[in-house]
Amino acid sequence: MRVIFMGSPDFSVPVLDALVEAGHEIACVYCQPPRPAGRGKKDRPTPVQARAEVLGLPVRHPKNFKDPTDVAAFADLGADVAVVVAYGLILPQALLDAPTSGCLNIHASLLPRWRGAAPIHRAILSGDEKTGVCIMQMEAGLDTGPVLLRRETDITAQDTTATLHDRLSAMGANAIVEALDTLPSLTPEVQQEDGVTYAQKIDKAEARIDWSRPAVEVARQIRGLSPFPGAWATYNGERFKFHMAQAVGTTGAPGEVVGPFTIACGEGAVEIAVAQREGKRAMAVDEIIKGLDLTVGSRFE
């Protein structure tokens, strides 16, 4: 098929690769414009643009589609379908209607649960046992279109947003190839309003740990915000980010160190497996402890 691909971050790159490997013709790649990044604040292309250039594919990155010439240029590509995954712009109806088979979105949740910006984070934060990807026929509403195909995966106690991100990206790549191969035979499943939830964008204010909460919730917060923005607390005035933890039955005052990098919560405690000192890289706690005066009875704030 002749495909327009629309995506921007790392999550989208395996999907682009899968479409190319499956033999689809990529008419054009759309992504967010390069933006200043790094210490030098030089314009840095998105991961999708970088990959598209390696593949020799044409790239466009309009700031929006308010200019009629951008809309016309999209339609003039004569695509059979557009594949959209974490693109970063809302598409006007004229774009949704332009390809022969419309626009298909790869969404990282089991719709209608977790429509919106941060479905992977929210699934872990909320303690969901399952998540997945949906191939959705796009319409004007936010992730409201009918679902053509869905694939599920369990969320384990070892999953972080990082691990789940990579797994769902690979699942989405396989699912869209399958969907395009069987598109005429797929039956659209209208989303029911019962069960709709919205995955609001993660606010950095959500990252500070409240040790008075139950340990199971704190452990989810740590895993759900890893690697970004990273759940954090302070110890002797130094900020620590936590990237992997599990709830355990040990008890103590909230924030109290009750064992080797085990911190008491309102109910139970969390045993930290991976942490990050201020200005340092994330590392296993047995490595951090070597240079840290962490004594039982001391406190994280």
Side-chain angles (χ1 to χ4, degrees):
M1 298 179 76
R2 184 169 169 82
V3 178
I4 296 172
F5 182 80
M6 309 181 81
S8 297
D10 288 320
F11 186 85
S12 310
V13 173
V15 180
L16 176 59
D17 283 340
L19 292 171
V20 172
E21 290 169 9
H24 294 288
E25 177 190 1
I26 308 300
C28 190
V29 172
Y30 281 77
C31 56
Q32 289 289 294
R35 291 192 170 92
R39 292 184 178 180
K41 296 299 181 184
K42 294 182 179 179
D43 280 354
R44 180 181 297 173
T46 65
V48 163
Q49 179 173 343
R51 183 58 181 157
E53 290 173 351
V54 169
L55 294 170
L57 301 172
V59 177
R60 296 176 184 172
H61 35 66
K63 292 183 178 179
N64 53 52
F65 286 98
K66 294 181 180 179
D67 188 335
T69 60
D70 288 329
V71 176
F74 184 93
D76 287 345
L77 290 168
D80 297 309
V81 68
V83 172
V84 184
V85 51
Y87 174 45
L89 286 179
I90 295 176
L91 305 187
Q93 192 65 46
L95 262 67
L96 299 179
D97 294 339
T100 305
S101 296
C103 299
L104 303 184
N105 177 248
I106 304 172
H107 187 74
S109 81
L110 297 175
L111 293 168
R113 186 160 179 80
W114 301 130
R115 295 175 180 173
I120 301 175
H121 296 80
R122 296 297 175 193
I124 294 177
L125 289 169
S126 297
D128 291 4
E129 295 181 353
K130 291 183 178 294
T131 187
V133 293
C134 285
I135 308 300
M136 178 190 69
Q137 186 81 51
M138 294 179 71
E139 57 182 34
L142 177 63
D143 300 328
T144 59
V147 173
L148 300 177
L149 185 151
R150 63 176 68 227
R151 294 290 179 264
E152 293 187 0
T153 185
D154 292 334
I155 300 177
T156 73
Q158 285 72 47
D159 271 322
T160 64
T161 286
T163 63
L164 200 53
H165 168 283
D166 292 350
R167 189 155 81 249
L168 292 177
S169 177
M171 287 176 63
N174 291 331
I176 192 63
V177 170
E178 179 182 346
L180 294 182
D181 285 346
T182 58
L183 194 56
S185 64
L186 295 178
T187 302
E189 171 197 335
V190 176
Q191 292 188 45
Q192 301 300 313
E193 287 304 308
D194 183 32
V196 170
T197 56
Y198 288 92
Q200 301 294 335
K201 185 177 180 180
I202 297 296
D203 190 311
K204 288 185 178 180
E206 298 178 67
R208 182 155 195 172
I209 295 173
D210 176 359
W211 298 108
S212 68
R213 295 170 61 198
V216 290
E217 294 181 9
V218 174
R220 288 178 202 154
Q221 180 187 14
I222 290 170
R223 294 186 296 108
L225 299 183
S226 175
F228 181 82
W232 64 274
T234 59
Y235 181 75
N236 290 338
E238 179 184 355
R239 181 181 290 206
F240 282 72
K241 286 186 177 181
F242 304 105
H243 294 287
M244 186 62 202
Q246 63 177 347
V248 294
T250 313
T251 60
E256 180 185 4
V257 177
V258 292
F261 233 129
T262 301
I263 306 167
C265 301
E267 296 176 13
V270 287
E271 186 176 77
I272 307 297
V274 179
Q276 183 176 359
R277 297 190 70 169
E278 200 163 355
K280 305 291 185 180
R281 63 178 175 84
M283 59 184 76
V285 295
D286 57 355
E287 187 175 355
I288 290 180
I289 287 175
K290 293 176 183 177
L292 179 66
D293 181 21
L294 189 69
T295 57
V296 172
S298 57
R299 296 180 62 84
F300 279 85
E301 302 292 340

